[in-house]
Amino acid sequence: MNGQTESMRWETKILIFLMISSCLVTTGICACFSSALFLANKATQQEFPAIEDSIEPSVACPRVPEGWRIIKENTFDENVNKWPLGKASDEYDTTNLMMEGGVLRYEVSAHKGVYSHQHPGLGKSLENFYMTADIQKVSGPRDPEYGVVFRARGERQVVFSIQDSGMVAVTPRDVGGVWQDDWLVKYSNHVEKDQSNQFVVYVHGWTYTFCVNQFIVGEVESSTYPSGQFGIGVFLDAGDKAVFEIDNFNIYAPEE
């Protein structure tokens, strides 16, 4: 893992977000998108999808489809799915994963820029699924990135994340920890700062629907990652310390 690579990925996105926020007030949307994408390509030598804002009408998140049942339930009253509880440390971070008061609590202290992720030992690999999780930043830096992981097979996985500023992203990660082009980068006014945010990932066929707090924030078509397991992931810069609480981490799937 390369800390500078992690940091540059989000510095670029934040730069785009700030430019768009400013431009929406002073100029025009088209001109802002053009300038922002030019800077992103210049900074990273790769193309990202245009960041969309949330001016369009809000659309309610799909419900769990009829006939689907819960496959993995995490109430966190007990560790039935074998999350790797306890302390761990390496050159990148020191972590402590605990269950307290019916929630999963994740404490992370970053020694370098780090992507820190956790997965239950008793996972489930599914093609079609409806995933929910409530995550709250309890303490930490002003605008960390955090969210859920799916399609996980070792280092190959996809991360659906938010920031307090309203930034939403879906980013795949390949073998060797190499980040691929974002599936989605967007601003949403449905992200709640300093509160618990509900994530939903609904996958049926090759269509992915992503929701925050019961509203759709984006949809993607992809056949690149056909199956895999689930977890949580956070991004922190060197020196950052943060605490996250996770609840209602549940996976639904069609009846077999």
Side-chain angles (χ1 to χ4, degrees), residues 86-117:
K87 296 181 179 180
S89 185
D90 60 22
E91 62 179 303
Y92 293 101
D93 61 9
T94 296
T95 65
N96 191 11
L97 188 65
M98 302 169 285
M99 286 186 182
E100 293 183 346
V103 300
L104 185 68
R105 184 178 175 90
Y106 193 38
E107 299 178 350
V108 188
S109 179
H111 310 312
K112 299 180 179 180
V114 67
Y115 164 59
S116 186
H117 52 102

Short mmCIF file of all heavy atoms in Angstrom, two decimals, residues 86-117:
data_model
loop_
_atom_site.label_atom_id
_atom_site.label_comp_id
_atom_site.label_asym_id
_atom_site.label_seq_id
_atom_site.Cartn_x
_atom_site.Cartn_y
_atom_site.Cartn_z
N GLY A 86 -10.48 -6.99 18.48
CA GLY A 86 -9.21 -6.84 19.18
C GLY A 86 -8.31 -5.80 18.53
O GLY A 86 -8.68 -5.14 17.56
N LYS A 87 -7.12 -5.66 19.11
CA LYS A 87 -6.15 -4.67 18.65
C LYS A 87 -5.21 -5.26 17.62
O LYS A 87 -4.89 -6.45 17.65
CB LYS A 87 -5.36 -4.12 19.83
CG LYS A 87 -6.20 -3.36 20.86
CD LYS A 87 -5.35 -2.84 21.99
CE LYS A 87 -6.19 -2.06 23.01
NZ LYS A 87 -5.36 -1.55 24.14
N ALA A 88 -4.75 -4.41 16.70
CA ALA A 88 -3.77 -4.81 15.70
C ALA A 88 -2.95 -3.59 15.33
O ALA A 88 -3.43 -2.45 15.44
CB ALA A 88 -4.44 -5.40 14.47
N SER A 89 -1.71 -3.81 14.89
CA SER A 89 -0.85 -2.69 14.55
C SER A 89 0.15 -3.11 13.48
O SER A 89 0.65 -4.24 13.49
CB SER A 89 -0.12 -2.17 15.79
OG SER A 89 0.62 -1.01 15.49
N ASP A 90 0.41 -2.20 12.55
CA ASP A 90 1.49 -2.40 11.58
C ASP A 90 2.06 -1.03 11.23
O ASP A 90 1.79 -0.04 11.94
CB ASP A 90 1.01 -3.15 10.33
CG ASP A 90 -0.12 -2.43 9.59
OD1 ASP A 90 -0.26 -1.19 9.75
OD2 ASP A 90 -0.85 -3.09 8.84
N GLU A 91 2.84 -0.93 10.16
CA GLU A 91 3.49 0.33 9.84
C GLU A 91 2.50 1.40 9.39
O GLU A 91 2.82 2.59 9.39
CB GLU A 91 4.54 0.12 8.75
CG GLU A 91 3.97 -0.37 7.42
CD GLU A 91 5.03 -0.53 6.36
OE1 GLU A 91 5.73 0.46 6.07
OE2 GLU A 91 5.17 -1.66 5.84
N TYR A 92 1.28 0.99 9.00
CA TYR A 92 0.31 1.94 8.47
C TYR A 92 -0.65 2.46 9.52
O TYR A 92 -1.01 3.64 9.50
CB TYR A 92 -0.49 1.30 7.33
CG TYR A 92 0.36 1.02 6.12
CD1 TYR A 92 0.84 -0.26 5.87
CD2 TYR A 92 0.71 2.04 5.24
CE1 TYR A 92 1.63 -0.52 4.76
CE2 TYR A 92 1.50 1.80 4.14
CZ TYR A 92 1.96 0.51 3.90
OH TYR A 92 2.76 0.26 2.81
N ASP A 93 -1.09 1.60 10.44
CA ASP A 93 -2.07 2.06 11.43
C ASP A 93 -2.10 1.14 12.64
O ASP A 93 -1.56 0.02 12.63
CB ASP A 93 -3.47 2.17 10.81
CG ASP A 93 -4.02 0.85 10.29
OD1 ASP A 93 -3.41 -0.21 10.55
OD2 ASP A 93 -5.06 0.86 9.62
N THR A 94 -2.73 1.65 13.69
CA THR A 94 -3.05 0.85 14.87
C THR A 94 -4.57 0.88 15.01
O THR A 94 -5.19 1.94 14.97
CB THR A 94 -2.40 1.43 16.13
OG1 THR A 94 -0.98 1.35 16.00
CG2 THR A 94 -2.83 0.66 17.37
N THR A 95 -5.17 -0.32 15.14
CA THR A 95 -6.63 -0.40 15.15
C THR A 95 -7.12 -1.18 16.37
O THR A 95 -6.40 -1.97 16.96
CB THR A 95 -7.15 -1.09 13.87
OG1 THR A 95 -6.70 -2.46 13.86
CG2 THR A 95 -6.66 -0.37 12.63
N ASN A 96 -8.38 -0.93 16.70
CA ASN A 96 -9.05 -1.70 17.74
C ASN A 96 -10.50 -1.86 17.33
O ASN A 96 -11.24 -0.89 17.18
CB ASN A 96 -8.94 -0.98 19.09
CG ASN A 96 -9.39 -1.87 20.24
OD1 ASN A 96 -9.59 -3.08 20.06
ND2 ASN A 96 -9.55 -1.30 21.42
N LEU A 97 -10.91 -3.11 17.10
CA LEU A 97 -12.27 -3.42 16.68
C LEU A 97 -12.99 -4.07 17.86
O LEU A 97 -12.54 -5.09 18.39
CB LEU A 97 -12.24 -4.37 15.48
CG LEU A 97 -13.58 -4.65 14.79
CD1 LEU A 97 -14.13 -3.38 14.15
CD2 LEU A 97 -13.41 -5.74 13.72
N MET A 98 -14.11 -3.46 18.27
CA MET A 98 -14.81 -3.90 19.48
C MET A 98 -16.31 -3.97 19.24
O MET A 98 -16.83 -3.32 18.32
CB MET A 98 -14.55 -2.91 20.62
CG MET A 98 -13.08 -2.71 20.98
SD MET A 98 -12.89 -1.29 22.11
CE MET A 98 -13.13 0.06 20.96
N MET A 99 -16.99 -4.73 20.09
CA MET A 99 -18.45 -4.69 20.14
C MET A 99 -18.86 -4.14 21.49
O MET A 99 -18.53 -4.72 22.53
CB MET A 99 -19.04 -6.09 19.92
CG MET A 99 -18.95 -6.56 18.50
SD MET A 99 -19.80 -8.14 18.23
CE MET A 99 -19.45 -8.38 16.48
N GLU A 100 -19.57 -3.02 21.47
CA GLU A 100 -19.99 -2.37 22.71
C GLU A 100 -21.42 -1.85 22.54
O GLU A 100 -21.71 -1.13 21.58
CB GLU A 100 -19.07 -1.19 23.05
CG GLU A 100 -17.64 -1.58 23.41
CD GLU A 100 -16.81 -0.37 23.81
OE1 GLU A 100 -17.27 0.78 23.55
OE2 GLU A 100 -15.72 -0.56 24.37
N GLY A 101 -22.29 -2.21 23.47
CA GLY A 101 -23.64 -1.67 23.47
C GLY A 101 -24.43 -1.98 22.21
O GLY A 101 -25.25 -1.16 21.77
N GLY A 102 -24.17 -3.13 21.59
CA GLY A 102 -24.93 -3.51 20.41
C GLY A 102 -24.46 -2.89 19.12
O GLY A 102 -25.17 -2.95 18.10
N VAL A 103 -23.25 -2.27 19.11
CA VAL A 103 -22.69 -1.72 17.88
C VAL A 103 -21.26 -2.23 17.71
O VAL A 103 -20.61 -2.65 18.68
CB VAL A 103 -22.69 -0.17 17.86
CG1 VAL A 103 -24.11 0.37 17.98
CG2 VAL A 103 -21.79 0.40 18.95
N LEU A 104 -20.77 -2.19 16.48
CA LEU A 104 -19.37 -2.48 16.19
C LEU A 104 -18.61 -1.17 16.22
O LEU A 104 -18.96 -0.22 15.50
CB LEU A 104 -19.26 -3.13 14.81
CG LEU A 104 -17.87 -3.63 14.39
CD1 LEU A 104 -17.45 -4.82 15.24
CD2 LEU A 104 -17.86 -4.01 12.91
N ARG A 105 -17.59 -1.09 17.03
CA ARG A 105 -16.84 0.15 17.22
C ARG A 105 -15.43 -0.04 16.65
O ARG A 105 -14.73 -1.00 17.01
CB ARG A 105 -16.77 0.51 18.71
CG ARG A 105 -16.09 1.83 19.03
CD ARG A 105 -16.13 2.07 20.53
NE ARG A 105 -15.40 3.26 20.94
CZ ARG A 105 -15.93 4.47 21.03
NH1 ARG A 105 -17.20 4.65 20.74
NH2 ARG A 105 -15.20 5.51 21.42
N TYR A 106 -15.02 0.86 15.76
CA TYR A 106 -13.72 0.74 15.09
C TYR A 106 -12.88 1.98 15.37
O TYR A 106 -13.22 3.08 14.94
CB TYR A 106 -13.93 0.56 13.59
CG TYR A 106 -12.69 0.12 12.85
CD1 TYR A 106 -11.80 -0.79 13.41
CD2 TYR A 106 -12.40 0.60 11.57
CE1 TYR A 106 -10.66 -1.20 12.73
CE2 TYR A 106 -11.29 0.19 10.87
CZ TYR A 106 -10.42 -0.72 11.45
OH TYR A 106 -9.28 -1.12 10.77
N GLU A 107 -11.79 1.77 16.10
CA GLU A 107 -10.85 2.85 16.41
C GLU A 107 -9.62 2.70 15.52
O GLU A 107 -9.03 1.62 15.45
CB GLU A 107 -10.45 2.80 17.88
CG GLU A 107 -11.62 2.96 18.84
CD GLU A 107 -11.20 2.85 20.30
OE1 GLU A 107 -10.04 2.47 20.56
OE2 GLU A 107 -12.04 3.12 21.19
N VAL A 108 -9.23 3.78 14.85
CA VAL A 108 -8.10 3.73 13.93
C VAL A 108 -7.18 4.92 14.20
O VAL A 108 -7.63 6.06 14.28
CB VAL A 108 -8.55 3.78 12.46
CG1 VAL A 108 -7.36 3.52 11.53
CG2 VAL A 108 -9.66 2.77 12.19
N SER A 109 -5.89 4.63 14.32
CA SER A 109 -4.86 5.67 14.42
C SER A 109 -3.89 5.46 13.27
O SER A 109 -3.19 4.43 13.22
CB SER A 109 -4.14 5.57 15.77
OG SER A 109 -3.12 6.54 15.88
N ALA A 110 -3.86 6.40 12.33
CA ALA A 110 -3.07 6.24 11.11
C ALA A 110 -1.64 6.73 11.30
O ALA A 110 -1.41 7.87 11.69
CB ALA A 110 -3.73 6.99 9.96
N HIS A 111 -0.66 5.86 11.00
CA HIS A 111 0.74 6.25 11.03
C HIS A 111 1.16 6.83 9.67
O HIS A 111 2.06 7.66 9.59
CB HIS A 111 1.63 5.05 11.35
CG HIS A 111 1.16 4.28 12.56
ND1 HIS A 111 0.84 4.91 13.75
CD2 HIS A 111 0.96 2.96 12.77
CE1 HIS A 111 0.46 4.00 14.64
NE2 HIS A 111 0.51 2.81 14.06
N LYS A 112 0.50 6.34 8.62
CA LYS A 112 0.70 6.84 7.26
C LYS A 112 -0.68 7.00 6.63
O LYS A 112 -1.68 6.62 7.22
CB LYS A 112 1.51 5.83 6.43
CG LYS A 112 2.90 5.53 6.96
CD LYS A 112 3.62 4.53 6.06
CE LYS A 112 5.03 4.22 6.56
NZ LYS A 112 5.73 3.25 5.68
N GLY A 113 -0.72 7.59 5.42
CA GLY A 113 -1.98 7.59 4.71
C GLY A 113 -2.42 6.16 4.49
O GLY A 113 -1.65 5.34 3.98
N VAL A 114 -3.64 5.82 4.90
CA VAL A 114 -4.02 4.42 4.95
C VAL A 114 -5.47 4.19 4.54
O VAL A 114 -6.34 5.04 4.80
CB VAL A 114 -3.78 3.84 6.36
CG1 VAL A 114 -4.74 4.47 7.37
CG2 VAL A 114 -3.88 2.32 6.39
N TYR A 115 -5.71 3.06 3.88
CA TYR A 115 -7.05 2.52 3.67
C TYR A 115 -7.14 1.33 4.61
O TYR A 115 -6.48 0.32 4.44
CB TYR A 115 -7.24 2.09 2.23
CG TYR A 115 -8.43 1.18 2.00
CD1 TYR A 115 -9.72 1.57 2.33
CD2 TYR A 115 -8.24 -0.10 1.45
CE1 TYR A 115 -10.80 0.73 2.12
CE2 TYR A 115 -9.31 -0.95 1.25
CZ TYR A 115 -10.59 -0.53 1.58
OH TYR A 115 -11.66 -1.37 1.38
N SER A 116 -7.99 1.44 5.62
CA SER A 116 -8.10 0.41 6.66
C SER A 116 -9.46 -0.25 6.54
O SER A 116 -10.49 0.42 6.56
CB SER A 116 -7.93 1.05 8.04
OG SER A 116 -7.90 0.08 9.06
N HIS A 117 -9.47 -1.59 6.41
CA HIS A 117 -10.75 -2.28 6.19
C HIS A 117 -10.83 -3.53 7.04
O HIS A 117 -9.82 -4.15 7.40
CB HIS A 117 -10.94 -2.60 4.71
CG HIS A 117 -9.79 -3.32 4.07
ND1 HIS A 117 -9.80 -4.67 3.82
CD2 HIS A 117 -8.59 -2.87 3.64
CE1 HIS A 117 -8.67 -5.03 3.25
NE2 HIS A 117 -7.90 -3.95 3.13
#
